[in-house]
Amino acid sequence: MSESLFFEQQDGSRIAYKIYEPYKSDTTDEIPLVMIIGLWSTKEILMGLEKELAKDRKVIVLDNRGIGESTVASETDPCSIELMAQDIIALIKHLAITKFNLLGWSMGGQIALCVALNIPPTLKLEKLIVCASWVHVSNASFDNLYHLPKWDYPKSLQEQRKEITVLFEKNFIDYLLKKPETFDKLTEVLFNSRRPFEMFKRQWEAIKQSNFASKLHMIKVPTLIIHGEIDKLVSIQEGELLANEIPDAIFVRIPKVGHM
């Protein structure tokens, strides 16, 4: 099992990451894949996808600043999509990687787009994958949650399980009910993760303030856009917009799938 590693950014933020080395050496892709998770999520939310992809390539996952095992120097530190993208670039430089592939889900997709738009000449992004993400928020999907004065975290796994059935999309709950082992694992992941409510608020603010629509044509790397057709949090029209604006993009629609 991969252990968490850490590096410190110039502003004092401490970024936690894990590296999964390929274990099928006969088919190894020499270019590593960096995976970025979404809003109010930790790297454990990948639920084993990172290990599956690490069969034939190096996979790197991380906690965005201030959440999970990553920290910020001060609670008043700024938080923006651009700053989280800088953390990704700094991590890649820290690992002495020169070529990489990038996958971002939800807010992580926005961060990945920002990385692609600000890649320094010393690095080469080979391929970009953006899942269930958007350019600019056009709805208030998390505003009610954002305006709560505080968040009462579940005090037991049973309470956490109940919270999942309230917060997540119906089609995802239906899937979890058919996959009890997956439901149990997700419950444990969320219950044991450090997810400060203040960081959720600041991440949501960062998402709402970002807007790359006018710059998408500048992304020149081969890009795969993946989006569920019944995503209630990020409309599939957002995925279509990304695919239309990025010159070398392929758009994949997944029927009967939502945000998760």
Side-chain angles (χ1 to χ4, degrees), residues 155-216:
K155 297 179 176 59
S156 66
L157 288 173
Q158 185 176 1
E159 287 186 12
Q160 181 67 73
R161 189 181 181 93
K162 184 177 180 180
E163 182 183 275
I164 291 172
T165 63
V166 172
L167 291 182
F168 288 88
E169 297 167 297
K170 181 181 181 303
N171 71 302
F172 183 57
I173 301 304
D174 291 343
Y175 167 80
L176 291 176
L177 292 174
K178 295 175 184 177
K179 304 277 187 177
E181 291 185 2
T182 303
F183 202 166
D184 291 344
K185 184 176 180 180
L186 177 63
T187 300
E188 292 179 6
V189 163
L190 292 179
F191 185 73
N192 292 314
S193 296
R194 174 181 164 272
R195 300 185 302 127
F197 188 52
E198 178 60 28
M199 286 310 303
F200 155 75
K201 289 191 170 189
R202 294 171 69 186
Q203 286 184 348
W204 181 234
E205 290 169 355
I207 290 170
K208 294 182 73 172
Q209 291 168 5
S210 67
N211 189 353
F212 311 120
S214 63
K215 299 180 180 179
L216 291 176

Side-chain angles (χ1 to χ4, degrees), residues 16-259:
Y17 64 97
K18 288 187 176 185
I19 299 176
Y20 296 88
E21 296 289 349
Y23 56 91
K24 285 175 63 179
S25 57
D26 56 329
T27 58
T28 298
D29 185 339
E30 295 181 355
I31 301 175
L33 172 67
V34 180
M35 303 180 73
I36 316 174
I37 41 77
L39 173 69
W40 210 15
S41 298
T42 64
K43 56 188 178 301
E44 288 74 24
I45 200 71
L46 292 168
M47 299 277 289
L49 174 62
E50 71 282 26
K51 298 173 188 176
E52 183 69 21
L53 292 174
K55 283 182 178 179
D56 49 15
R57 64 182 56 78
K58 179 184 288 187
V59 173
I60 301 158
V61 299
L62 71 151
D63 287 324
N64 292 314
R65 57 172 50 220
I67 200 161
E69 296 181 287
S70 293
T71 62
V72 287
S74 166
E75 292 183 357
T76 60
D77 283 357
C79 183
S80 66
I81 297 298
E82 290 78 7
L83 195 55
M84 289 184 278
Q86 290 175 24
D87 291 338
I88 303 295
I89 293 172
L91 173 59
I92 292 166
K93 288 182 175 180
H94 172 75
L95 295 174
I97 293 169
T98 56
K99 295 181 180 180
F100 66 102
N101 296 320
L102 191 58
L103 184 154
W105 165 65
S106 193
M107 181 188 76
Q110 282 194 312
I111 298 170
L113 291 167
C114 191
V115 171
L117 287 166
N118 294 279
I119 199 79
T122 53
L123 301 180
K124 182 169 176 54
L125 175 59
E126 295 282 347
K127 294 178 182 177
L128 174 65
I129 305 171
V130 179
C131 307
S133 192
W134 59 112
V135 182
H136 185 63
V137 174
S138 58
N139 60 45
S141 48
F142 285 103
D143 276 356
N144 289 338
L145 188 60
Y146 173 84
H147 289 296
L148 290 176
K150 66 174 184 174
W151 184 255
D152 293 322
Y153 290 91
K155 297 179 176 59
S156 66
L157 288 173
Q158 185 176 1
E159 287 186 12
Q160 181 67 73
R161 189 181 181 93
K162 184 177 180 180
E163 182 183 275
I164 291 172
T165 63
V166 172
L167 291 182
F168 288 88
E169 297 167 297
K170 181 181 181 303
N171 71 302
F172 183 57
I173 301 304
D174 291 343
Y175 167 80
L176 291 176
L177 292 174
K178 295 175 184 177
K179 304 277 187 177
E181 291 185 2
T182 303
F183 202 166
D184 291 344
K185 184 176 180 180
L186 177 63
T187 300
E188 292 179 6
V189 163
L190 292 179
F191 185 73
N192 292 314
S193 296
R194 174 181 164 272
R195 300 185 302 127
F197 188 52
E198 178 60 28
M199 286 310 303
F200 155 75
K201 289 191 170 189
R202 294 171 69 186
Q203 286 184 348
W204 181 234
E205 290 169 355
I207 290 170
K208 294 182 73 172
Q209 291 168 5
S210 67
N211 189 353
F212 311 120
S214 63
K215 299 180 180 179
L216 291 176
H217 67 280
M218 299 168 63
I219 296 177
K220 303 302 182 183
V221 300
T223 302
L224 177 65
I225 310 295
I226 303 173
H227 216 109
E229 288 187 347
I230 54 173
D231 192 330
K232 301 297 184 184
L233 295 177
V234 182
S235 165
I236 194 169
Q237 282 75 32
E238 293 291 332
E240 292 172 342
L241 173 62
L242 288 173
N244 289 334
E245 295 296 325
I246 297 174
D248 189 7
I250 296 174
F251 185 46
V252 176
R253 307 166 62 103
I254 308 182
K256 300 178 182 179
V257 165
H259 194 65

